[in-house]
Amino acid sequence: MSVHSHDQMVPGKGIKDIGQLGTWMGLISFTFLFATFIASNVYLRGWSPETFSINLPGSVQNIVYLNFLFTVLAGVLSISAGISYKKKKNALFITLYILSAMAFVGDSILTGWIVGHYYGLSAAAWTAYGMVEIFMLILDVISLVLFIVGFFYMGPKKNKSLNRFIPGALSVWVYTMIMGVIVFIQCDLIEVGQFLEWCGMKLTQ
């Protein structure tokens, strides 16, 4: 599988490339809409906590925590893949690329499950949390589509296309991780101590 060529990488400095600039402009626009629903979640829980603050069952809370860990794992693996690609470590890049894609698949499945749970839980839960999780699911799906496109760019004679594609796609993957962390802290995290205790319990099992 061909990844690199002797040609100079295009672009020389990522943000100067119109494709990557367009990617970030799109992400910024997406952020304004996404932030509206995150702010609505925080406002509704502050305005009427007895209605919009949802106490999830233990099994569901476990899925929320696991979903967060998959989000962070997918982002870290994506960054590592991007670094290995820049350093022209082809074998490591392909391995990390596949692992990143698998992590995003797991993240998408868990996010979809959470969306379905909020939909069936109550109208208040769906109003406060549903759209926030749907936006995360949209980001996961877009990330997976980019991974699929990237596989096609790894063919022979497509090195320049891959050189342009990886920085833009990596921006989306890192953005997805960042928004996942924000959503978890603002909307899903009950107490930091409780989350750390959950992590400790899972590590000892």
Side-chain angles (χ1 to χ4, degrees):
M1 184 176 291
S2 176
V3 175
H4 284 283
S5 70
H6 296 291
D7 298 331
Q8 184 179 1
M9 288 188 66
V10 180
K13 294 183 179 179
I15 197 61
K16 292 184 179 180
D17 176 53
I18 191 65
Q20 190 176 1
L21 178 60
T23 299
W24 276 108
M25 292 298 291
L27 291 176
I28 292 172
S29 299
F30 185 87
T31 301
F32 283 109
L33 184 59
F34 197 176
T36 300
F37 289 97
I38 295 176
S40 296
N41 175 282
V42 175
Y43 172 78
L44 289 171
R45 287 186 289 121
W47 174 61
S48 182
E50 66 280 1
T51 302
F52 293 102
S53 292
I54 308 301
N55 293 321
L56 297 174
S59 58
V60 178
Q61 193 65 51
N62 287 340
I63 297 297
V64 171
Y65 288 155
L66 188 61
N67 182 217
F68 170 71
L69 294 180
F70 262 89
T71 301
V72 174
L73 177 63
V76 171
L77 288 172
S78 299
I79 295 172
S80 301
I83 294 173
S84 64
Y85 181 79
K86 185 176 182 179
K87 293 183 177 180
K88 300 185 179 182
K89 297 180 179 180
N90 295 352
L92 179 60
F93 163 70
I94 294 171
T95 300
L96 291 171
Y97 190 90
I98 294 173
L99 291 176
S100 302
M102 293 173 61
F104 270 107
V105 169
D107 192 43
S108 300
I109 293 172
L110 292 172
T111 304
W113 188 92
I114 293 172
V115 169
H117 177 79
Y118 280 130
Y119 180 77
L121 187 61
S122 66
W126 180 249
T127 300
Y129 295 89
M131 286 305 301
V132 173
E133 296 297 341
I134 285 176
F135 271 89
M136 280 308 306
L137 183 59
I138 290 172
L139 286 175
D140 284 332
V141 172
I142 292 173
S143 296
L144 288 176
V145 170
L146 290 175
F147 274 107
I148 295 172
V149 172
F151 278 116
F152 286 102
Y153 283 149
M154 290 182 189
K157 299 180 180 180
K158 294 184 178 180
N159 296 292
K160 289 185 178 181
S161 297
L162 188 63
N163 289 339
R164 293 173 64 89
F165 172 80
I166 291 297
L170 182 60
S171 301
V172 177
W173 299 330
V174 173
Y175 176 86
T176 301
M177 178 186 69
I178 293 173
M179 294 308 298
V181 171
I182 293 174
V183 167
F184 178 73
I185 293 174
Q186 294 294 327
C187 304
D188 298 326
L189 182 62
I190 300 174
E191 293 180 2
V192 174
Q194 184 174 347
F195 174 64
L196 294 177
E197 181 182 357
W198 180 86
C199 291
M201 290 171 48
K202 295 302 178 182
L203 289 174
T204 57
Q205 288 180 355

